[in-house]
Protein backbone atom coordinates (compact mmCIF):
# COMPACT_ATOMS: atom_id res chain seq x y z
CA UNK A 1 0.00 0.00 0.00
CA UNK A 2 2.81 2.43 0.82
CA UNK A 3 4.50 1.88 -2.54
CA UNK A 4 1.18 2.02 -4.41
CA UNK A 5 0.37 5.37 -2.78
CA UNK A 6 3.71 7.18 -2.50
CA UNK A 7 4.52 7.49 -6.19
CA UNK A 8 1.08 8.67 -7.23
CA UNK A 9 0.14 10.96 -4.33
CA UNK A 10 1.31 14.12 -6.06
CA UNK A 11 3.90 14.92 -3.40
CA UNK A 12 7.50 14.02 -2.70
CA UNK A 13 8.35 11.57 0.05
CA UNK A 14 12.07 11.67 0.90
CA UNK A 15 12.07 8.15 2.33
CA UNK A 16 10.08 4.95 2.66
CA UNK A 17 10.95 2.07 4.99
CA UNK A 18 9.35 -1.31 4.37
CA UNK A 19 9.88 -4.12 6.87
CA UNK A 20 8.64 -7.63 6.09
CA UNK A 21 6.58 -6.26 3.22
CA UNK A 22 5.65 -8.76 0.52
CA UNK A 23 6.33 -6.96 -2.76
CA UNK A 24 4.79 -9.87 -4.63
CA UNK A 25 1.53 -10.62 -6.36
CA UNK A 26 -0.93 -11.53 -3.65
CA UNK A 27 -2.26 -14.52 -5.57
CA UNK A 28 1.26 -15.98 -5.79
CA UNK A 29 1.74 -15.55 -2.05
CA UNK A 30 -1.67 -17.10 -1.28
CA UNK A 31 -1.03 -20.05 -3.61
CA UNK A 32 2.28 -20.80 -1.91
CA UNK A 33 0.77 -20.58 1.58
CA UNK A 34 -2.18 -22.78 0.62
CA UNK A 35 0.13 -25.31 -1.06
CA UNK A 36 1.97 -25.65 2.25
CA UNK A 37 -1.30 -26.13 4.11
CA UNK A 38 -2.53 -28.63 1.53
CA UNK A 39 0.29 -31.09 2.25
CA UNK A 40 -1.64 -32.44 5.24
CA UNK A 41 -4.91 -32.77 3.33
CA UNK A 42 -6.57 -36.16 2.89
CA UNK A 43 -7.92 -35.05 -0.53
CA UNK A 44 -5.12 -32.99 -2.11
CA UNK A 45 -6.76 -32.73 -5.56
CA UNK A 46 -10.07 -31.55 -4.15
CA UNK A 47 -8.26 -29.18 -1.81
CA UNK A 48 -6.18 -27.81 -4.74
CA UNK A 49 -9.34 -27.06 -6.73
CA UNK A 50 -10.94 -25.37 -3.73
CA UNK A 51 -7.75 -23.38 -3.12
CA UNK A 52 -7.69 -22.13 -6.73
CA UNK A 53 -11.30 -20.98 -6.41
CA UNK A 54 -10.61 -19.24 -3.09
CA UNK A 55 -7.53 -17.45 -4.44
CA UNK A 56 -9.45 -16.27 -7.50
CA UNK A 57 -12.34 -15.03 -5.36
CA UNK A 58 -10.10 -13.23 -2.86
CA UNK A 59 -8.07 -11.53 -5.58
CA UNK A 60 -11.19 -10.38 -7.40
CA UNK A 61 -12.97 -9.23 -4.23
CA UNK A 62 -10.00 -7.27 -2.86
CA UNK A 63 -8.75 -5.79 -6.14
CA UNK A 64 -5.30 -7.24 -5.48
CA UNK A 65 -4.39 -7.30 -9.18
CA UNK A 66 -5.22 -3.62 -9.58
CA UNK A 67 -3.29 -2.77 -6.42
CA UNK A 68 -0.20 -4.59 -7.71
CA UNK A 69 -0.41 -2.74 -11.05
CA UNK A 70 -0.75 0.54 -9.15
CA UNK A 71 2.33 -0.34 -7.08
CA UNK A 72 4.32 -0.96 -10.29
CA UNK A 73 3.28 2.43 -11.74
CA UNK A 74 3.97 4.16 -8.44
CA UNK A 75 7.41 2.56 -7.94
CA UNK A 76 8.48 3.89 -11.32
CA UNK A 77 7.64 7.42 -10.13
CA UNK A 78 9.70 7.29 -6.93
CA UNK A 79 13.02 8.29 -8.48
CA UNK A 80 13.77 10.82 -5.69
CA UNK A 81 12.57 8.67 -2.77
CA UNK A 82 15.11 6.64 -0.82
CA UNK A 83 13.86 3.17 0.06
CA UNK A 84 15.00 0.79 2.76
CA UNK A 85 13.62 -2.70 2.26
CA UNK A 86 14.11 -4.85 5.36
CA UNK A 87 13.54 -8.58 5.02
CA UNK A 88 14.54 -11.50 7.20
CA UNK A 89 16.78 -14.06 5.56
CA UNK A 90 14.53 -16.77 7.06
CA UNK A 91 11.19 -15.21 6.09
CA UNK A 92 8.91 -17.94 4.75
CA UNK A 93 5.69 -15.91 4.59
CA UNK A 94 6.46 -14.69 1.07
CA UNK A 95 9.14 -15.06 -1.59
CA UNK A 96 11.77 -12.53 -0.52
CA UNK A 97 13.69 -12.93 -3.79
CA UNK A 98 10.52 -12.04 -5.71
CA UNK A 99 10.18 -8.87 -3.61
CA UNK A 100 13.77 -7.94 -4.46
CA UNK A 101 13.08 -8.61 -8.16
CA UNK A 102 10.10 -6.24 -7.95
CA UNK A 103 12.46 -3.49 -6.78
CA UNK A 104 15.04 -4.32 -9.46
CA UNK A 105 12.40 -4.19 -12.18
CA UNK A 106 10.26 -1.27 -11.10
CA UNK A 107 11.74 0.90 -8.35
CA UNK A 108 13.28 4.02 -9.89
CA UNK A 109 14.88 5.57 -6.82
CA UNK A 110 17.85 4.77 -4.61
CA UNK A 111 17.28 1.70 -2.51
CA UNK A 112 18.92 -0.32 0.18
CA UNK A 113 17.95 -3.94 0.72
CA UNK A 114 18.79 -5.22 4.17
CA UNK A 115 18.51 -8.96 4.68
CA UNK A 116 18.49 -9.36 8.44
CA UNK A 117 20.57 -12.33 9.47
CA UNK A 118 18.40 -14.89 11.29
CA UNK A 119 15.38 -12.62 10.74
CA UNK A 120 11.91 -13.99 10.13
CA UNK A 121 8.64 -12.36 9.12
CA UNK A 122 7.84 -9.40 11.39
CA UNK A 123 10.63 -10.23 13.85
CA UNK A 124 13.59 -8.45 12.26
CA UNK A 125 13.63 -5.80 14.98
CA UNK A 126 13.93 -8.49 17.66
CA UNK A 127 16.96 -10.30 16.22
CA UNK A 128 19.39 -7.46 16.92
CA UNK A 129 17.54 -4.51 18.43
CA UNK A 130 20.59 -2.24 18.65
CA UNK A 131 21.69 -2.72 15.04
CA UNK A 132 18.09 -2.38 13.85
CA UNK A 133 17.64 0.98 15.55
CA UNK A 134 21.02 2.28 14.45
CA UNK A 135 20.47 1.27 10.84
CA UNK A 136 17.03 2.91 10.71
CA UNK A 137 18.34 6.14 12.26
CA UNK A 138 21.30 6.26 9.87
CA UNK A 139 19.00 5.72 6.90
CA UNK A 140 16.56 8.43 8.03
CA UNK A 141 19.38 10.90 8.70
CA UNK A 142 20.62 10.42 5.15
CA UNK A 143 17.10 11.00 3.78
CA UNK A 144 16.35 13.99 6.04
CA UNK A 145 19.71 15.74 6.61
CA UNK A 146 18.03 19.09 7.37
CA UNK A 147 15.95 17.58 10.18
CA UNK A 148 18.72 16.97 12.70
CA UNK A 149 17.31 17.40 16.22
CA UNK A 150 18.32 20.50 18.14
CA UNK A 151 20.29 19.94 21.34
CA UNK A 152 18.52 22.80 23.10
CA UNK A 153 14.94 21.85 22.32
CA UNK A 154 12.56 22.60 25.15
CA UNK A 155 9.02 21.47 25.75
CA UNK A 156 6.36 24.12 25.34
CA UNK A 157 2.90 24.02 26.81
CA UNK A 158 1.49 23.12 23.38
CA UNK A 159 3.53 19.93 23.08
CA UNK A 160 2.29 16.80 24.82
CA UNK A 161 4.39 15.74 27.77
CA UNK A 162 5.55 12.15 28.21
CA UNK A 163 5.96 12.58 31.94
CA UNK A 164 3.46 11.17 34.39
CA UNK A 165 1.57 13.75 36.44
CA UNK A 166 2.70 13.85 40.08
CA UNK A 167 0.95 11.42 42.37
CA UNK A 168 -1.47 12.95 44.87
CA UNK A 169 -0.09 13.04 48.40
CA UNK A 170 -1.12 10.18 50.62
CA UNK A 171 -3.41 11.07 53.47
Amino acid sequence: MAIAHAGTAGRHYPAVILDSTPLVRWQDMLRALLRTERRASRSPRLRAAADRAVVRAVVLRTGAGALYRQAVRSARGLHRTQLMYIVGERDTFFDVDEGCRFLDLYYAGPREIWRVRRGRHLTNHLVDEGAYGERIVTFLRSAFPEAEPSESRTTTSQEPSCQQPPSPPET
Side-chain angles (χ1 to χ4, degrees), residues 33-164:
L33 293 171
L34 290 172
R35 189 177 317 114
T36 301
E37 292 294 319
R38 193 167 46 241
R39 288 184 189 142
S41 174
R42 284 188 245 167
S43 311
R45 287 185 179 185
L46 178 61
R47 174 70 191 264
D51 289 349
R52 281 192 300 277
V54 166
V55 167
R56 233 178 283 130
V58 167
V59 168
L60 287 172
R61 174 80 172 130
T62 62
L67 180 62
Y68 186 84
R69 289 187 299 277
Q70 177 68 21
V72 167
R73 281 191 301 275
S74 180
R76 290 178 174 148
L78 292 171
H79 58 278
R80 294 180 9 230
T81 301
Q82 293 183 47
L83 172 80
M84 176 181 264
Y85 187 47
I86 305 168
V87 291
E89 71 176 6
R90 296 180 181 176
D91 196 328
T92 58
F93 188 68
F94 66 96
D95 186 346
V96 171
D97 292 331
E98 183 63 29
C100 293
R101 278 190 293 280
F102 174 92
L103 294 175
D104 288 341
L105 288 171
Y106 307 118
Y107 197 78
R111 62 188 172 275
E112 174 184 344
I113 298 172
W114 178 24
R115 289 186 182 242
V116 178
R117 200 166 154 255
R118 298 183 327 272
R120 295 188 181 276
H121 192 69
L122 298 176
T123 63
N124 298 315
H125 64 289
L126 299 173
V127 174
D128 187 351
E129 294 174 37
Y132 189 90
E134 288 173 23
R135 192 117 179 217
I136 297 285
V137 167
T138 300
F139 174 77
L140 290 173
R141 281 190 176 141
S142 73
F144 298 92
E146 69 283 352
E148 283 296 316
S150 170
E151 296 287 330
S152 62
R153 185 167 181 220
T154 58
T155 303
T156 66
S157 61
Q158 296 172 348
E159 291 182 277
S161 172
C162 294
Q163 297 177 358
Q164 293 286 339

